């Protein structure tokens, strides 16, 4: 009985931290928190109507994901990601995910792959309903669960880290234009190809999907026309 109170208190604090982190991610997606800007925990806490402690803890969680960085005696700066950064992230993901999808296509059972279908469908539903947080979570779950079928946990960790560092950029504008739905539907296409056992076709689909993601980032970030054209050609 005496231990129940501390555990309950910790549980409440963890839930509050998670709720604040969720709200901060939503603010990053919407652009309320701007890349390069510095925000203090007390100021954000006042906006959320909570104490500074859960905000500070939530920001530290985001810092571990690479979305913000601590600034001594000031607060947290929203991480800026350059076009070169996004190119590098996409290249590394392609080097890892494309051949891994081929391996999984050859080794996974039909039952293992079919278990991913509800998640793939959830990605599409979230995109259609403009649920950006839900979209990001379902997309993360699909890709990382798929890669986990290869049996290499370190590989999954690396891709998970890359996704955290690049997943938010341009998402709101893409959603407003309806581009997220077509990207979401590619997960079902990939799954259907993998279920046929055609590993080269699955690798080609994953490569095209990652290329489309990079091209969509460019559209969402309003690059100059010549750079957008180059990225579209690269995605083909």
């Amino acid at each position: 009985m005496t231990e129940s109170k501390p555990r309950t208190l910790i549980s409440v604090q963890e839930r509050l931290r998670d709720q604040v982190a969720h709200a901060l991610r939503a603010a990053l997606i919407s652009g309320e928190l701007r890349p390069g800007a510095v925000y203090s925990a007390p100021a954000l806490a006042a906006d959320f109507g909570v104490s500074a402690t859960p905000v500070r803890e939530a920001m530290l969680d985001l810092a571990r994901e690479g979305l913000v960085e601590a600034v001594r005696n000031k607060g947290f700066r929203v991480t800026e990601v350059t076009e070169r950064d996004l190119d590098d992230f996409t290249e590394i993901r392609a080097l890892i995910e494309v051949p891994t999808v081929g391996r999984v296509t050859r080794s996974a059972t039909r039952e293992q792959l079919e278990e991913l279908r509800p998640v793939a469908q959830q990605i599409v539903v979230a995109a259609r309903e403009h649920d950006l947080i839900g979209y990001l979570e379902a997309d993360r779950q699909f890709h990382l669960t798929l890669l986990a079928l290869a049996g290499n946990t370190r590989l999954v960790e690396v891709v998970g880290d890359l996704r955290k560092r690049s997943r938010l950029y341009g998402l709101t504008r893409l959603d407003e234009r309806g581009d997220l739905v077509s990207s979401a539907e590619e997960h079902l296409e990939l799954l259907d190809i993998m279920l046929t056992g055609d590993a080269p076709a699955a690798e080609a689909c994953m490569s095209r999907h990652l290329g489309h993601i990079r091209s969509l980032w460019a559209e969402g970030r309003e690059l100059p026309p010549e750079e957008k054209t180059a990225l579209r050609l690269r995605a083909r």
Side-chain angles (χ1 to χ4, degrees):
M1 294 294 291
T2 57
E3 294 182 354
S4 63
K5 289 184 179 180
R7 289 178 180 174
T8 301
L9 179 59
I10 291 172
S11 177
V12 170
Q13 291 172 339
E14 288 177 345
R15 284 200 299 271
L16 181 57
R17 181 195 64 199
D18 291 343
Q19 290 170 355
V20 172
H22 186 282
L24 289 170
R25 289 188 180 94
L28 285 166
I29 292 171
S30 68
E32 290 180 57
L33 299 182
R34 303 184 307 280
V38 177
Y39 298 90
S40 72
L44 290 171
D47 291 339
F48 289 125
V50 298
S51 69
T53 298
V55 174
R56 190 173 292 108
E57 291 174 347
M59 292 297 271
L60 288 173
D61 287 342
L62 298 186
R64 283 189 284 271
E65 297 177 13
L67 298 177
V68 301
E69 56 187 5
V71 179
R72 186 178 178 85
N73 298 326
K74 292 186 177 180
F76 296 86
R77 178 184 292 111
V78 178
T79 304
E80 294 185 272
V81 176
T82 67
E83 297 302 326
R84 176 60 184 271
D85 290 331
L86 293 175
D87 282 337
D88 290 347
F89 295 155
T90 305
E91 181 179 5
I92 297 170
R93 284 188 61 186
L95 289 170
I96 295 173
E97 293 187 63
V98 171
T100 301
V101 160
R103 286 170 51 198
V104 172
T105 300
R106 297 183 185 95
S107 64
T109 66
R110 186 174 189 86
E111 290 73 21
Q112 287 176 315
L113 295 175
E114 281 292 358
E115 287 178 358
L116 287 166
R117 188 172 297 279
V119 184
Q121 293 170 335
Q122 186 179 349
I123 299 171
V124 177
V125 171
R128 288 175 176 167
E129 294 181 350
H130 311 286
D131 177 6
L132 300 186
I133 295 293
Y135 174 92
L136 289 170
E137 176 55 30
D139 183 70
R140 182 197 65 81
Q141 183 181 351
F142 178 90
H143 280 270
L144 298 189
T145 302
L146 177 59
L147 294 175
L149 294 177
N152 187 330
T153 57
R154 300 302 182 194
L155 179 152
V156 176
E157 290 173 1
V158 170
V159 174
D161 182 66
L162 291 170
R163 288 175 57 84
K164 289 174 182 176
R165 295 177 183 276
S166 60
R167 62 184 177 171
L168 300 176
Y169 297 95
L171 202 59
T172 301
R173 186 172 290 110
L174 298 178
D175 174 58
E176 292 171 349
R177 290 167 32 183
D179 289 330
L180 280 186
V181 175
S182 59
S183 179
E185 290 172 342
E186 289 176 349
H187 298 84
L188 288 168
E189 178 188 357
L190 173 63
L191 188 58
D192 287 338
I193 292 173
M194 294 181 72
L195 284 164
T196 70
D198 190 339
E203 290 181 358
C205 183
M206 174 58 83
S207 179
R208 176 165 47 85
H209 177 61
L210 292 175
H212 284 171
I213 291 173
R214 181 62 186 95
S215 180
L216 288 173
W217 279 337
E219 295 286 350
R221 290 161 67 91
E222 296 186 336
L223 288 182
E226 63 274 13
E227 292 189 42
K228 291 182 181 180
T229 301
L231 284 166
R232 288 195 192 98
L233 292 173
R234 192 182 308 166
R236 290 177 181 175

